[in-house]
């Protein structure tokens, strides 16, 4: 357990820290109701107390000379840091001044379902000109979270902000300074224009495609095989730095966000990936970071030099900066850009900013072929071969007893890909709909909890994996799951179609995933695509089945399912109501990778102690 003394607490970023507690002094235009005559600010204020007012507005926004339209809350992007207190209720009054419906979802918070903030699922949304009050009972948790719109594509335009919940008692993670680092993106392009381009042209934003003159480490045979599959080994992110400017607390990399420290201090950084479509690789060259919390839940400290954070995840780490300054680098997973902040011992101090690393390439593991016989014998596999359907899948890694390890990149040339069927639907369960929305089936989707993330399996330093996460406090429900559910993440990348079990949300809205109240279920997610998906369940925490002891499995609200792999979690369905369950890549969700989870009313079912209720 970390035993540092917490001597000070600061809010977000040096640029915003001085504004903490000064909300009352914020000019009216900055509160969102009338910002048409001003430019939306970068960074955020802080709001707290038993009654909090938030106003959604819109206006022009400029980032590093690029001008676009943005949606802001209380006049800034990100919107204000909402600081709450464990054990205390709060009324959040949200006024919508837009000309369209809006909403706020409290990402990771345990709230009554009618205040979860998802239009069409838990409430009707907030009409233009209306105020909706989220009347939350006593807060049951602590940690780092965030909020964002769940209406249309507003999140992409800037409608998001951080949440910090302070513990009622002593914080096991103590530090001298405490900062929030919210990562996101800015683009002058309208979100629906991005969606249109994704639907019309696969790889529209990929400026790192292979060519006959590139210097990617691919042999001629590799290139022919990728061409035969009509896939790109550099198809890492759908939307990239070709249009995005990556942001740290709303600031572009040239806009100088800094976090001040004094030599010898321990600094806590609460990293929130509030982006619409980006994964980031976070590191501080020359420093080691102690990961102390994941998705708001405390974990046993893990020392790493880099970690990948998926969209919607949060990680807290503690670092002891040295020298005059150190650079916090948040490099996009495809390495097409980065967000930057500086740990500075004095205002204006700067350290070198490293260059972008070479773009990563997808591997055999990302195609769902981990652990298969690469040396031969696979050539000619095509799904019509009876020997395939009759294979012992448990020997290929389907059995739970075959845990995954890090999936190293492997040369494509070791297999005859031309003879393989990447859409062998005979390997799917009958629950999966087969149609044009499904263009790939993972042939050997092993558990990839031990993977550091795309492109990080060869770096010469320690990178966080899910297997490193161990809950700091014992979990409160140790029952063995009574059943197992398998859900496939499916898609057709060429047509930009995304779904669960081959069915996009619009076609299955009357068939939710149903749980009995207090039911204990093991859910296995199988990724039948070549993209990593951050899957988020509203209103609950689940426990990753990551090899940690049963009573110390880490609790999260979002899990990354690596391409062609699988991930499992145990869920206690103890929050009754209807909840959203979806990929947190905004355009994947918008395209159909979304479902509703219905937890039956509590009725006479016995009470189950929940997250944060240890006393």
């Amino acid at each position: 357990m970390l035993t540092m003394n917490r001597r000070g607490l600061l809010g977000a970023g040096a640029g915003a820290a001085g504004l903490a507690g000064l909300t009352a002094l914020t000019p009216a235009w900055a509160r969102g109701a009338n910002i048409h005559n001003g430019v939306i600010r970068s960074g955020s204020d802080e709001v707290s107390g038993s009654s909090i007012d938030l106003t959604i507005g819109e206006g022009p926004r400029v980032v590093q000379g690029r001008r676009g339209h943005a949606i802001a809350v209380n006049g800034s992007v990100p919107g204000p840091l909402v600081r709450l207190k464990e054990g205390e209720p709060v009324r959040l009054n949200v006024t919508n001044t837009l000309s369209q419906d809006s909403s706020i979802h409290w990402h990771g918070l345990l709230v009554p379902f009618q205040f979860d903030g998802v239009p069409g699922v838990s409430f009707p949304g907030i009409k233009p000109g209306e105020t909706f009050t989220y009347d939350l009972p006593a807060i049951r948790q602590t940690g780092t979270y965030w909020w964002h719109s769940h209406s249309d594509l507003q999140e992409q335009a800037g409608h998001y902000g951080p949440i910090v919940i302070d513990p009622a008692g002593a914080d096991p993670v103590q530090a001298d300074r405490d900062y929030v680092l919210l990562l996101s993106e800015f683009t002058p392009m309208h979100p629906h224009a991005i969606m249109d381009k994704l639907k019309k042209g696969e790889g529209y934003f990929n400026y790192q495609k292979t060519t006959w003159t590139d210097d990617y480490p691919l042999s001629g045979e590799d290139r022919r095989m990728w061409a035969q599959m009509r896939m790109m080994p550099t198809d890492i992110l759908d939307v990239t730095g070709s249009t995005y400017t990556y942001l740290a607390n709303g600031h572009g990399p040239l806009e100088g966000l800094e976090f001040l420290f004094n030599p010898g201090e321990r600094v806590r950084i609460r990293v929130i990936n509030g982006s619409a479509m980006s994964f980031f690789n976070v590191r501080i060259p020359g420093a080691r970071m102690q990961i102390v919390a994941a998705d708001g839940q405390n974990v046993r400290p893990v020392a790493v030099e880099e970690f990948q954070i998926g969209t919607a995840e949060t990680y807290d780490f503690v670092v002891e900066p040295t020298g005059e300054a150190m650079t916090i680098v948040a490099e996009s997973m495809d390495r097409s850009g980065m967000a930057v902040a500086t740990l500075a011992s004095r205002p204006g101090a700067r350290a070198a900013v490293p260059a972008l690393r070479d773009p990563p390439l997808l591997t055999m593991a990302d195609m769902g072929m981990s652990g298969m016989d690469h040396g031969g014998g696979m050539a000619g596999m095509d799904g019509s071969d009876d020997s395939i359907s009759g294979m012992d899948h448990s020997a290929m890694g389907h059995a739970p007893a075959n845990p995954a390890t890090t999936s190293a990149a492997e040369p494509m040339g070791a297999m005859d890909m031309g003879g393989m069927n990447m859409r062998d639907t005979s390997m799917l369960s009958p629950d999966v709909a087969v149609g044009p929305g499904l263009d790939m089936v993972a042939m050997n989707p092993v558990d990839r909890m031990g993977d550091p993330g795309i492109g990080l399996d060869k770096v010469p330093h320690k990178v966080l994996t899910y297997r490193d996460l161990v809950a700091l406090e014992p979990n409160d429900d140790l029952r063995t799951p009574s059943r197992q559910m398998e859900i496939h993440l499916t898609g057709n990348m060429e047509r930009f179609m995304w779904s669960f079990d081959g069915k996009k949300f619009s076609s299955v809205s009357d068939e939710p995933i149903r749980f009995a109240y207090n039911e204990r279920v093991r859910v296995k997610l199988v990724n039948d695509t070549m993209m990593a998906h951050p899957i988020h369940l509203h209103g609950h925490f689940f426990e990753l089945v990551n090899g940690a002891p049963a009573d110390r499995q880490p609790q999260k609200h979002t899990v990354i399912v690596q391409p062609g792999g699988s991930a499992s979690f145990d869920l206690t369905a103890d929050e009754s109501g209807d909840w959203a369950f979806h990929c947190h890549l905004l355009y994947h969700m918008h395209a159909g990778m979304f479902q509703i989870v219905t937890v039956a009313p509590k009725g006479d079912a016995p009470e189950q102690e929940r997250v944060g209720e240890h006393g």
Side-chain angles (χ1 to χ4, degrees), residues 102-439:
S102 191
S103 59
I104 289 183
H105 161 60
W106 315 101
H107 186 102
L109 266 61
L110 300 170
V111 299
F113 84 93
Q114 66 268 28
F115 297 131
D116 189 48
V118 181
V121 177
S122 52
F123 86 136
I126 308 173
K127 301 295 182 186
E130 291 187 349
T131 297
F132 182 85
T133 296
Y134 297 78
D135 194 358
L136 305 186
I139 302 298
R140 295 180 275 152
Q141 59 200 105
T142 66
T144 305
Y145 306 94
W146 62 298
W147 54 265
H148 60 84
S149 172
H150 231 291
S151 298
D152 198 35
L153 300 175
Q154 295 172 6
E155 182 188 322
Q156 175 75 90
H159 189 341
Y160 51 79
I163 299 173
V164 172
I165 305 175
D166 294 314
D171 193 333
V173 180
Q174 297 182 347
D176 301 292
R177 295 178 186 258
D178 192 326
Y179 292 113
V180 170
L181 173 58
L182 194 156
L183 304 172
S184 60
E185 323 107 336
F186 167 79
T187 172
M189 192 174 294
H190 192 282
H192 280 289
I194 292 177
M195 187 69 188
D196 286 345
K197 294 182 185 305
L198 291 171
K199 291 291 290 185
K200 292 173 181 173
E202 182 192 19
Y204 179 90
F205 296 100
N206 183 2
Y207 282 30
Q208 299 175 156
K209 296 177 182 177
T210 56
T211 69
W212 285 110
T213 57
D214 67 51
D215 56 359
Y216 289 117
L218 293 167
S219 67
E221 186 178 7
D222 292 336
R223 294 170 189 273
R224 285 191 294 275
M225 289 177 180
W226 281 105
Q228 287 172 340
M229 293 185 292
R230 292 186 296 177
M231 294 179 175
M232 290 180 291
T234 59
D235 196 357
I236 308 295
L237 293 174
D238 288 317
V239 192
T240 71
S242 66
T243 185
Y244 283 154
T245 299
Y246 296 105
L247 306 178
N249 290 0
H251 298 269
L254 302 178
E255 293 180 334
L257 177 68
E258 59 186 25
F259 300 120
L260 295 178
F261 72 94
N262 291 318
E265 288 185 330
R266 304 174 72 115
V267 180
R268 177 177 186 166
I269 307 288
R270 302 171 183 264
V271 185
I272 301 168
N273 187 344
S275 71
M277 290 293 285
S278 305
F279 284 49
F280 294 96
N281 299 326
V282 179
R283 70 188 197 278
I284 303 175
R288 289 174 72 83
M289 303 171 284
Q290 278 197 318
I291 303 294
V292 295
D295 286 2
Q297 304 300 298
N298 294 322
V299 297
R300 291 177 180 171
V302 182
V304 302
E305 290 166 86
E306 186 165 9
F307 64 93
Q308 187 170 97
I309 182 169
T311 306
E313 289 187 304
T314 74
Y315 284 107
D316 293 18
F317 69 82
V318 174
V319 64
E320 298 179 59
T322 58
E324 187 175 51
M326 305 190 87
T327 301
I328 304 174
V329 180
E331 187 180 48
S332 65
M333 184 167 67
D334 70 330
R335 296 168 186 168
S336 60
M338 65 172 67
V340 172
T342 300
L343 285 160
S345 61
R346 59 171 176 79
R350 292 291 181 270
V353 178
L356 290 168
R357 296 174 291 189
D358 291 337
L361 296 174
L362 296 174
T363 70
M364 298 287 290
D366 302 320
M367 300 174 65
M369 299 178 186
S370 293
M372 297 179 77
D373 180 7
H374 301 167
M378 300 300 292
M381 290 174 64
D382 64 1
S384 61
D385 186 340
D386 292 341
S387 64
I388 303 304
S389 57
M391 290 178 74
D392 178 6
H393 292 179
S394 64
M396 299 174 63
H398 290 270
N402 185 14
T405 56
T406 298
S407 302
E410 300 177 45
M412 302 295 296
M415 301 183 70
D416 179 6
M417 306 299 295
M420 298 185 71
N421 184 357
M422 296 294 294
R423 194 171 178 268
D424 182 3
T425 56
S426 67
M427 303 182 69
L428 297 171
S429 69
D431 295 336
V432 180
V434 176
L438 191 156
D439 69 349

Side-chain angles (χ1 to χ4, degrees), residues 549-604:
D551 66 334
R552 300 286 178 154
Q553 291 180 158
Q555 300 200 33
K556 293 185 96 269
H557 50 59
T558 303
V559 60
I560 309 304
V561 189
Q562 298 294 339
S566 69
S568 297
F569 61 79
D570 292 338
L571 170 70
T572 297
D574 59 356
E575 301 286 345
S576 60
D578 294 330
W579 304 97
F581 176 70
H582 60 92
C583 176
H584 221 287
L585 295 176
L586 183 63
Y587 299 100
H588 289 194
M589 178 182 72
H590 195 69
M593 192 176 275
F594 186 101
Q595 247 294 11
I596 294 174
V597 165
T598 295
V599 179
K602 177 185 174 188
D604 296 328

Side-chain angles (χ1 to χ4, degrees), residues 403-405 447-451 465-470 545-548:
T405 56
D447 182 327
R448 297 186 67 183
M449 288 279 185
D451 271 43
T465 76
Y466 280 161
R467 291 201 187 284
D468 295 320
L469 300 177
V470 179
V545 181
N546 68 337

